[in-house]
Amino acid sequence: RSQTMMKPTFHVFLLAIMMGLFLCSAALAEEVTIQSQADIDGQLMQDVTGLITLVNSSSIIFKVGEDSGSSYSSRGFVSFDLPTTPDDMIVDDVVLRVYQSAVSASSPYTDLYSDAQTNSTIIVDHLAYGSGLDTSDYDLTALTENVGTLSETSTLEWKELNVKSQVVADMNALRTRSQFRLRFTPLENNGDSTTSYATFITGDGHSPPELIVTYIPPIPTLSEWGLLLLSLMLGFVFVYKTRVRI
C-alpha cells in the first residue's frame, strides 16, 4: 500500500516544484523603461522637389504625413540608448510606445490612401542612423523595413508596437542604440493640397517615446531540467525511506 501512495504523492510534489519555479521566474522579471534621446529624435520633411529639411531638433512634437497643404511629406524618428542586460537575465519582450497627441482636421488615416485601400496606417522601419539625425536619414536604407503597424486610428493615445526582434538584433550586433522611422503607408502625400498629418510627442516633450524592455531569468536547458528532476527524485526517495524506517 505504501508503494501505491508514493506515486501520486511524488507527482504532486514534482508538479508543485515545477509550478514554483515557473512562478519564481515570472516574479523575477525586471522591466526597464528607456526614453527617446531628445537630441537625435525628431522630424524630417521632403518637399515636392525632393529637398529634405530637418525640423527643429528641440521641438516637443514631430509630425508624420502630409504637411503644409501637400507641400511636404513628413517622417518621424526616435532613438533609444540600449542598456546593459542585467547579469543572468535575458530579453523577454520589448515594446515601442509613442504618444499621438493630435491629428489634423483632415485625418491622414482616411485621406492618405490608394485606390486599393480605404485607410492608411503608420508603419515603422528599423534603422541605424547613428549619433545624429540628418537629412540623409529620410530615405536611409532600413535594417528592417516595415517592422509592423504602429497606428491605424486617430485616437489620441499611446501607440504601441512589439520590437523585440529588432532590439535583440541591435544588441547582438553590438549597436549602442535602437532607432526607428515612422511613416504613413500606402501614401505619404496625395497632392490634394490638404494638410493631413498625425502629431507625436518627442523626447523633449512631456510624454516622450518609450522603449519598454522586460528581462527574465534564462529558461533551464533540457540537461538542467534533467539534473533538477534527478535531484528531486533522489531527495524524495531519501525522505520516503527515512519516514518508512521511523
Side-chain angles (χ1 to χ4, degrees):
R1 188 166 59 182
S2 297
Q3 289 181 346
T4 302
M5 292 178 61
M6 179 181 175
K7 290 182 179 180
T9 303
F10 175 72
H11 292 159
V12 172
F13 176 71
L14 183 59
L15 179 60
I17 292 294
M18 295 179 70
M19 285 296 295
L21 290 171
F22 174 79
L23 293 174
C24 284
S25 176
L28 291 172
E30 180 179 333
E31 187 175 280
V32 176
T33 299
I34 311 162
Q35 295 185 343
S36 184
Q37 297 173 267
D39 56 336
I40 58 173
D41 69 2
Q43 174 184 345
L44 292 176
M45 302 167 55
Q46 183 181 57
D47 69 14
V48 292
T49 70
L51 180 66
I52 300 171
T53 304
L54 174 63
V55 177
N56 183 358
S57 61
S58 62
S59 174
I60 63 171
I61 62 169
F62 64 80
K63 298 175 183 178
V64 180
E66 184 180 42
D67 201 0
S68 301
S70 297
S71 297
Y72 295 93
S73 301
S74 294
R75 296 177 173 182
F77 296 78
V78 292
S79 177
F80 303 91
D81 264 331
L82 291 177
T84 301
T85 302
D87 291 340
D88 300 321
M89 301 286 269
I90 60 173
V91 176
D92 180 57
D93 197 33
V94 185
V95 176
L96 170 66
R97 302 179 75 231
V98 190
Y99 191 78
Q100 182 169 270
S101 59
V103 173
S104 59
S106 174
S107 172
Y109 294 99
T110 55
D111 186 46
L112 300 177
Y113 62 87
S114 65
D115 293 337
Q117 294 179 263
T118 56
N119 68 291
S120 54
T121 59
I122 292 178
I123 60 173
V124 173
D125 298 324
H126 179 209
L127 304 182
Y129 60 83
S131 59
L133 179 64
D134 60 50
T135 55
S136 66
D137 299 322
Y138 184 90
D139 282 322
L140 180 67
T141 300
L143 296 172
T144 306
E145 190 172 302
N146 191 5
V147 171
T149 298
L150 178 73
S151 178
E152 53 189 1
T153 71
S154 297
T155 305
L156 305 184
E157 61 184 0
W158 284 101
K159 304 296 186 178
E160 299 184 350
L161 177 65
N162 191 288
V163 291
K164 176 185 174 181
S165 296
Q166 290 68 45
V167 172
V168 170
D170 286 332
M171 292 176 172
N172 290 340
L174 301 182
R175 288 187 280 268
T176 58
R177 302 177 183 88
S178 280
Q179 299 174 319
F180 303 94
R181 176 174 59 208
L182 284 62
R183 59 186 174 90
F184 266 103
T185 189
L187 299 177
E188 296 182 81
N189 189 326
N190 62 7
D192 64 356
S193 300
T194 301
T195 297
S196 302
Y197 60 76
T199 301
F200 294 87
I201 304 297
T202 69
D204 291 287
H206 56 82
S207 299
E210 297 177 341
L211 201 64
I212 300 179
V213 185
T214 303
Y215 301 97
I216 60 170
I219 299 172
T221 64
L222 288 176
S223 59
E224 290 172 335
W225 275 115
L227 289 173
L228 175 62
L229 292 176
L230 179 60
S231 299
L232 290 173
M233 290 174 66
L234 292 174
F236 183 83
V237 170
F238 175 78
V239 171
Y240 177 78
K241 287 185 175 181
T242 301
R243 290 180 59 188
V244 170
R245 288 173 184 170
I246 294 174

